[in-house]
Amino acid sequence: MRSRRQSVWKSLLRWGVAALLWSLTGHSPVGAHELSQPVPILLERMHDSLLLINRGKTDQAYAKAASIREDFPDSSRGRLIQETGLRRTSERLDAAYGTTLAEETAGALDRGDVPHLQKVLYSLSFLLILEKLDRLDLLMLDPAARVETRAAVLAVAHDYFSHMFERLLRFRAPEQIKALDRLLDRMAVAVKRGDATAVRALRSELLTGLLQGFQEQLVGGQLQAILVSSKGGGT
């Protein structure tokens, strides 16, 4: 009996530690997709800003985002590197997808508009995922591309989704997050068997689900236009 009580208390302690880790880091310790590699520093800082917004710490969230507005130095991974900031990243994505997120980013930061800044950061995350899926599309059509290369690109897209959506919105929209995570898993299976048609269909379903499921977190009008374009993979 004593042994059973100890087992119960150990289980409760593990769950307590898990909950504490989530509250401190914003990372789900159980059940979440395991990252295949560290995400770019810019995404880490974007995640941190969004996490602060979720916690109601708007001044700190704004300061975090403002610190990565322009290219910024970082030495957190052992050597000093000049990282690309929000302005140049948004300009690159605007050029690729016809959006105006560079203007939206600058406006939100200039006005100190944290609610809109939140939408901008999620929208940039959406486009960074899409950028990887576009790369995967090209690889699926290239007969010389290796399966391992295709799988690695999809793994990065999955990492971005996990870091920027799953870990921040897991408890606010658990069913939508689970459904999108399963779609990415199904895409991985289709990639391994070389089924470009299935990958394309699942990609369209993923992007539509991401946009429709998180309209409140995105600058939806601009991203909706992408879904109906051939590049966006819409129907």
Side-chain angles (χ1 to χ4, degrees), residues 76-122:
S76 62
R77 295 181 181 171
R79 56 195 180 104
L80 183 64
I81 296 177
Q82 191 75 0
E83 301 285 346
T84 302
L86 292 172
R87 181 181 62 81
R88 283 213 297 155
T89 298
S90 58
E91 288 174 349
R92 187 189 80 240
L93 294 169
D94 284 349
Y97 297 107
T99 50
T100 59
L101 287 180
E103 180 182 338
E104 299 276 357
T105 304
L109 288 169
D110 290 344
R111 297 189 305 270
D113 186 346
V114 173
H116 194 66
L117 179 63
Q118 182 182 36
K119 290 190 173 186
V120 168
L121 293 179
Y122 276 121

Side-chain angles (χ1 to χ4, degrees), residues 54 118-123 125-126 129 161-162 164-181 183 205-221 223-224 227:
N54 287 351
Q118 182 182 36
K119 290 190 173 186
V120 168
L121 293 179
Y122 276 121
S123 297
S125 303
F126 178 97
I129 293 169
F161 166 77
S162 179
M164 300 307 296
F165 288 92
E166 181 179 22
R167 296 186 176 190
L168 289 164
L169 300 171
R170 179 179 178 83
F171 296 115
R172 297 188 180 195
E175 294 309 313
Q176 293 97 314
I177 290 294
K178 286 180 184 177
L180 294 170
D181 195 51
L183 281 173
E205 191 176 348
L206 172 76
L207 294 174
T208 300
L210 190 54
L211 180 57
Q212 292 180 352
F214 299 98
Q215 292 184 55
E216 294 183 1
Q217 283 82 22
L218 299 167
V219 183
L223 303 182
Q224 183 63 49
L227 286 185

Side-chain angles (χ1 to χ4, degrees), residues 37-202:
Q37 57 186 303
V39 299
I41 297 297
L42 179 65
L43 263 73
E44 286 190 0
R45 303 288 173 85
M46 289 165 61
H47 169 279
D48 291 347
S49 180
L50 289 167
L51 182 60
L52 288 165
I53 293 172
N54 287 351
R55 294 175 174 172
K57 298 179 179 181
T58 54
D59 290 345
Q60 294 178 42
Y62 173 82
K64 177 67 71 171
S67 72
I68 55 172
R69 179 175 188 164
E70 301 297 337
D71 295 354
F72 58 95
D74 181 81
S75 59
S76 62
R77 295 181 181 171
R79 56 195 180 104
L80 183 64
I81 296 177
Q82 191 75 0
E83 301 285 346
T84 302
L86 292 172
R87 181 181 62 81
R88 283 213 297 155
T89 298
S90 58
E91 288 174 349
R92 187 189 80 240
L93 294 169
D94 284 349
Y97 297 107
T99 50
T100 59
L101 287 180
E103 180 182 338
E104 299 276 357
T105 304
L109 288 169
D110 290 344
R111 297 189 305 270
D113 186 346
V114 173
H116 194 66
L117 179 63
Q118 182 182 36
K119 290 190 173 186
V120 168
L121 293 179
Y122 276 121
S123 297
L124 289 172
S125 303
F126 178 97
L127 290 184
L128 288 168
I129 293 169
L130 175 57
E131 189 175 50
K132 294 302 178 186
L133 295 180
D134 281 342
R135 174 63 179 155
L136 177 61
D137 269 354
L138 294 175
L139 289 170
M140 292 302 295
L141 297 174
D142 180 0
R146 299 175 60 194
V147 172
E148 293 82 3
T149 303
R150 295 167 176 170
V153 171
L154 178 58
V156 172
H158 201 158
D159 288 350
Y160 287 10
F161 166 77
S162 179
H163 197 66
M164 300 307 296
F165 288 92
E166 181 179 22
R167 296 186 176 190
L168 289 164
L169 300 171
R170 179 179 178 83
F171 296 115
R172 297 188 180 195
E175 294 309 313
Q176 293 97 314
I177 290 294
K178 286 180 184 177
L180 294 170
D181 195 51
R182 284 194 294 266
L183 281 173
L184 283 159
D185 287 340
R186 290 170 60 194
M187 285 182 72
V189 173
V191 165
K192 287 182 180 178
R193 68 172 185 261
D195 190 342
T197 300
V199 170
R200 186 73 179 179
L202 290 165

Side-chain angles (χ1 to χ4, degrees), residues 15-32:
W15 280 107
V17 171
L20 178 62
L21 285 172
W22 170 264
S23 67
L24 292 175
T25 67
H27 290 196
S28 174
V30 291

